[in-house]
Amino acid sequence: MKIAIVYASTTGNTEAMANVIKETASSNAEVVFGTADGTDAGEVLSCDVILLGSPAMGDEVLEDSMEEFYTNIESGLGGKKVGLFGSYDWGDGQWLRDWEDRARNAGASVIESLMVHLTPEADDIVKCQEWTKAAM
Ligand SMILES: Cc1cc2nc3c(=O)[nH]c(=O)nc-3n(C[C@H](O)[C@H](O)[C@H](O)COP(=O)(O)O)c2cc1C
């Protein structure tokens, strides 16, 4: 199985989630891993499972580089298994619900999203590990 993990992060919180997800996935999959502004869209779309991370930014929107990356791959997501994750602070997860809707409208099979309040603590790290295993 080939799995893509692509993320954006402004202060390292979503990056910390992405690193745990990568470590967990690496045990039994080939992993394509990188940032939204440094990963090849075609390589990501060659994967069976695509996990994308962005913090809640602006007013419940994606971080800019992920918005741009996601827009690039969106039309190729039909039939893919997609999981969305990210860190937030004061909201209630609207950015992830909106993102799920977009991915579903693109024809992806979208798993339940994973959100962590600010920096992942020990229990959040366990959640990231379990979420990754369920996504594979
Ligand atoms: C400019 C800016 C806008 C933000 N907008 C939201 C928001 O709409 N909803 C929310 O829950 N958190 C919001 N946050 C908080 C971030 O999502 C939170 O700090 C998150 O942990 C950042 O993750 P990162 O380190 O991966 O970038 C915002 C933070 C900044 C700096």
Side-chain angles (χ1 to χ4, degrees):
M1 175 193 279
K2 211 170 150 193
I3 180 163
I5 303 159
V6 183
Y7 70 95
S9 186
T10 62
T11 62
N13 294 335
T14 304
E15 180 176 37
M17 296 174 73
N19 283 329
V20 175
I21 291 165
K22 177 182 79 169
E23 279 163 28
T24 309
S26 297
S27 59
N28 63 351
E30 181 187 342
V31 175
V32 173
F33 179 78
T35 56
D37 59 6
T39 306
D40 181 67
E43 203 179 353
V44 170
L45 287 173
S46 76
C47 294
D48 316 293
V49 178
I50 300 174
L51 306 179
L52 302 170
S54 170
M57 294 303 284
D59 183 11
E60 299 296 327
V61 296
L62 300 179
E63 187 276 343
D64 287 346
S65 66
M66 179 51 79
E67 175 59 43
E68 191 178 335
F69 180 81
Y70 182 74
T71 302
N72 276 339
I73 63 166
E74 194 163 17
S75 65
L77 290 180
K80 299 283 181 188
K81 188 172 185 184
V82 170
L84 307 171
F85 65 93
S87 176
Y88 71 104
D89 188 359
W90 55 82
D92 69 354
Q94 189 62 47
W95 98 107
L96 277 181
R97 291 194 292 277
D98 292 345
W99 201 5
E100 284 175 8
D101 286 346
R102 285 176 72 180
R104 274 193 208 98
N105 288 338
S109 168
V110 183
I111 64 167
E112 192 180 340
S113 299
L114 172 72
M115 62 185 208
V116 164
H117 186 238
L118 297 172
T119 305
E121 306 292 346
D123 56 334
D124 299 311
I125 288 169
V126 172
K127 273 190 217 159
C128 290
Q129 291 166 336
E130 286 171 355
W131 184 79
T132 309
K133 287 178 197 155
M136 296 173 67

